[in-house]
Amino acid sequence: MSKQKEELEHRLKLRNIKLSDYDDIREIMVSIYKNQGGAWTKEELKNQLKAFPEGQIAIEDNGKVVAAAMSLVVDYNKFGDNHTYDQITGYGKFDTHDMEGDTLYGTDVFVHTDYRGMRLGRRLYDVRKEICENLNLRSIIAGGRIPGYTNYADEMTPRKYIDLVKNKEIFDPVLSFQLANEFHVRKVITKYLPSDTDSRAYATLLEWINIYYEKDEKLIGNKKSIVRLGLVQWKMRRFSNVDDLMQQVEFFVDTVSGYKSDFCLLPEFFNAPLLAEFNDMDASEAIRNLADYTDEIVSRMSDLAVSYNVNIVAGSMPEYDGKKLRNVSYLCRRDGTQDKQYKLHITPDEASYWGLQGGNGINVFDTDAGRIGILICYDVEFPELGRILAEQEMDILFVPFWTDTKNAFLRVNTCAKSRAIENECYVAITGSVGNLPKVENMDIQYSQAAIYSPSDFSFPHDAVVAMASENEETIIVADVDLDLLTKQRKAGSVRNLEQRRLDLYSIQWKQKK
């Protein structure tokens, strides 16, 4: 390789700044800040490195520093939003640095003029974000210059100028870059850098929020990030009594628990085989008799949840109070507590054969492995319900279903995929397979259990976390990452929840819960 070619090649390296870099840093600062006070002294750089060496970052090319970013940690409450650059940096000494603070304060980012257009500033901003996350700090805050304002100062206020930059009507070499790197403007501050004549001494107070920030880290009991889901694709078979049914349930709960799952999901009407006991009755009378077993099954299911240390979403079962027949899914938590979700929308056949009626409430349930919602079968085909749950910060939507034909299954399946994408959550679905001859309205089954995710780079390329073989009795066990949902909602390619036009429309729940 020729010497000339070697000299033309870039060898970029990201590292912490050293005191020996001072001459390179001074060269850049004098060039860029000739109208704002020039460069720091070597003594100031020495103090900054002594205070917080991990926060001072450089990019070198073939041994020469060509870009740098400086920062410190502060207790932001001590300064508030009306501080000046000198106040928060201790006049460049960084003696305001406080490792017990909650905020990473960005003091400077600069790039050599010969290296403009190489997006080195973006690399430095990404490193700052990494530092903020690794130190579990609440946010990054910086005072941003608006040098382009000097061309518009006689015709508009700083606030108007900033709004036009946000809307890309005006380009500002500093603010446009910061907005593109996920910072938002908290307010306009005056006299931040009095020497900054281009900005007319105005500055933007910018903030980047660390979505992974945990205010109170505990040794135990923190919110889980990785959650393991176990789905039971249940085969309909005749059981002579509840003991036989629960023996089969326990087998699957034991199996799912053996893989250390956090949840076990059963299908809608998994207890339907007990209807065979009432074959001599009218369908509506038979299912009301089936409802007599629900309390016992729920009690025993709750015992299984505790003894096998797994949260059970107990499919659904009929509930009859002497006046209304409803379809209900029970959440049996592994701490022994219970909740339930009624099916809200009743299919024409369910109303005609059985006289089922819909419930009137919907909730998100807190568990030790995230916030969950439950929509029983037909309910998932109504997008308003998923959105209402998403607005309550649901992480995982469970959909126990029962479908007889493939086209019925495809309705549930397709809508479940849509709920995952539009609500930026995971959706787990499972149903029953096999058949129950001579059981009215429960004779055949079609199912393919699955777990779906949002569709973006952080998730599987087809938005399918796991999927079972169709119409086979089986289980699927898979992990879902709740932190990825947080990332998706704040930094995804598209952000369905964040970018809703709430100025135009909204979904309102009319019924009092």
Side-chain angles (χ1 to χ4, degrees):
M1 184 182 293
S2 68
K3 182 177 180 181
Q4 183 179 11
K5 186 175 181 180
E6 286 183 352
E7 290 175 350
L8 292 174
E9 280 189 341
H10 292 297
R11 290 187 175 87
L12 299 178
K13 180 180 179 181
L14 190 72
R15 61 170 174 80
N16 289 111
I17 291 174
K18 299 175 289 188
L19 189 59
S20 58
D21 296 322
Y22 176 72
D23 289 341
D24 291 341
I25 290 173
R26 184 180 185 281
E27 177 187 336
I28 303 172
M29 294 189 72
V30 168
S31 172
I32 296 173
Y33 298 138
K34 56 186 176 183
N35 295 328
Q36 289 89 42
W40 301 308
T41 66
K42 192 169 186 177
E43 187 64 23
E44 286 173 329
L45 179 61
K46 181 179 180 180
N47 289 333
Q48 293 166 5
L49 295 178
K50 181 179 179 181
F52 185 35
E54 301 89 345
Q56 321 316 322
I57 309 297
I59 297 176
E60 69 169 47
D61 185 19
N62 290 301
K64 179 181 176 65
V65 172
V66 297
M70 321 295 289
S71 60
L72 66 158
V73 178
V74 297
D75 180 352
Y76 194 69
N77 287 330
K78 292 181 179 179
F79 299 94
D81 286 348
N82 294 315
H83 60 269
T84 67
Y85 181 86
D86 286 339
Q87 288 171 342
I88 206 159
T89 64
Y91 292 86
K93 299 176 184 177
F94 281 22
D95 55 8
T96 51
H97 174 70
D98 179 4
M99 281 305 292
E100 298 300 315
D102 63 351
T103 300
L104 186 71
Y105 195 91
T107 62
D108 291 276
V109 172
F110 42 82
V111 178
H112 196 290
T113 53
D114 293 343
Y115 286 77
R116 299 285 171 84
M118 293 179 65
R119 296 181 172 84
L120 300 188
R122 178 170 295 182
R123 296 193 193 193
L124 293 169
Y125 269 56
D126 287 344
V127 173
R128 271 188 180 166
K129 293 173 185 177
E130 185 178 357
I131 293 171
C132 183
E133 290 172 359
N134 289 340
L135 292 178
N136 189 39
L137 300 175
R138 182 181 59 81
S139 65
I140 302 173
I141 287 182
R145 300 175 59 235
I146 45 174
Y149 181 59
T150 189
N151 301 316
Y152 299 89
D154 294 337
E155 56 187 275
M156 66 181 70
T157 64
R159 184 173 297 279
K160 177 65 174 177
Y161 175 79
I162 291 167
D163 286 340
L164 290 174
V165 174
K166 285 181 181 179
N167 293 330
K168 301 190 183 302
E169 300 293 336
I170 294 175
F171 175 79
D172 184 276
V174 176
L175 179 57
S176 295
F177 170 76
Q178 291 164 327
L179 294 174
N181 279 274
E182 301 174 334
F183 279 74
H184 70 273
V185 179
R186 281 176 62 131
K187 65 172 294 184
V188 179
I189 47 180
T190 59
K191 299 180 181 179
Y192 181 71
L193 273 172
S195 61
D196 184 6
T197 55
D198 286 342
S199 302
R200 302 294 177 96
Y202 290 107
T204 56
L205 189 65
L206 297 143
E207 183 175 36
W208 176 84
I209 297 173
N210 176 14
I211 58 177
Y212 302 115
Y213 172 62
E214 294 285 347
K215 186 175 182 180
D216 296 309
E217 287 288 327
K218 299 177 287 187
L219 293 177
I220 61 173
N222 286 308
K223 178 184 176 182
K224 290 175 70 74
S225 172
I226 305 300
V227 176
R228 183 160 294 176
L229 309 182
L231 281 58
V232 179
Q233 188 158 273
W234 173 269
K235 182 177 181 179
M236 290 293 192
R237 52 168 64 82
R238 289 205 174 214
F239 298 112
S240 58
N241 52 49
V242 173
D243 288 337
D244 285 349
L245 173 78
M246 293 307 299
Q247 184 179 45
Q248 189 68 13
V249 169
E250 185 170 5
F251 165 77
F252 280 115
V253 171
D254 184 12
T255 303
V256 168
S257 174
Y259 291 105
K260 300 189 185 320
S261 297
D262 295 294
F263 290 97
C264 175
L265 174 64
L266 292 164
E268 180 183 23
F269 285 131
F270 69 93
N271 65 335
L274 295 176
L275 278 170
E277 184 180 342
F278 312 111
N279 266 346
D280 58 336
M281 299 179 183
D282 177 82
S284 61
E285 185 182 1
I287 199 163
R288 283 163 174 76
N289 277 273
L290 180 64
D292 290 341
Y293 293 127
T294 296
D295 286 346
E296 179 184 354
I297 293 172
V298 171
S299 177
R300 293 174 68 167
M301 198 77 77
S302 188
D303 290 341
L304 292 178
V306 172
S307 60
Y308 285 99
N309 192 30
V310 60
N311 299 299
I312 300 175
V313 180
S316 80
M317 292 171 275
E319 176 189 274
Y320 183 55
D321 62 3
K323 295 180 181 179
K324 288 186 178 181
L325 176 70
R326 292 186 289 190
N327 187 358
V328 60
S329 178
Y330 282 87
L331 168 62
C332 300
R333 298 183 185 86
R334 53 187 164 193
D335 64 2
T337 60
Q338 297 176 11
D339 266 307
K340 61 183 178 180
Q341 174 63 57
Y342 290 104
K343 188 173 185 176
L344 303 186
H345 297 88
I346 304 303
T347 67
D349 276 357
E350 290 170 338
S352 174
Y353 280 98
W354 292 332
L356 272 172
Q357 298 183 52
N360 296 317
I362 191 169
N363 294 286
V364 168
F365 305 111
D366 284 309
T367 74
D368 59 3
R371 289 171 62 79
I372 73 164
I374 303 171
L375 293 178
I376 303 171
C377 196
Y378 192 31
D379 281 344
V380 80
E381 298 177 31
F382 295 83
E384 298 89 347
L385 299 183
R387 180 50 50 85
I388 288 169
L389 294 172
E391 289 175 342
Q392 299 176 52
E393 301 180 347
M394 171 185 64
D395 299 311
I396 308 167
L397 175 61
F398 290 97
V399 182
F401 68 87
W402 170 79
T403 53
D404 52 355
T405 60
K406 186 171 184 177
N407 60 316
F409 162 74
L410 288 175
R411 288 194 297 267
V412 171
N413 187 60
T414 304
C415 291
K417 289 181 181 179
S418 299
R419 300 301 84 83
I421 292 170
E422 68 200 15
N423 296 309
E424 296 167 333
C425 65
Y426 295 105
V427 179
I429 68 171
T430 195
S432 302
V433 302
N435 56 76
L436 284 174
K438 298 182 180 179
V439 175
E440 188 73 20
N441 206 32
M442 278 290 192
D443 44 359
I444 57 174
Q445 322 288 320
Y446 191 105
S447 175
Q448 188 171 24
I451 302 169
Y452 298 117
S453 73
S455 183
D456 211 336
F457 299 114
S458 298
F459 302 95
H461 71 94
D462 55 1
V464 179
V465 177
M467 181 175 286
S469 300
E470 57 187 338
N471 293 330
E472 297 286 342
E473 184 173 45
T474 188
I475 64 167
I476 55 174
V477 176
D479 289 342
V480 296
D481 188 338
L482 303 189
D483 282 347
L484 291 181
L485 298 181
T486 305
K487 179 180 178 182
Q488 174 67 28
R489 292 162 184 166
K490 293 296 183 181
S493 299
V494 294
R495 301 159 205 170
N496 295 72
L497 291 177
E498 182 183 89
Q499 296 180 323
R500 287 170 294 156
R501 288 292 305 274
L502 297 179
D503 57 320
L504 300 178
Y505 60 84
S506 64
I507 297 175
Q508 294 181 329
W509 186 263
K510 294 183 178 181
Q511 188 80 20
K512 289 185 177 180
K513 294 183 180 180

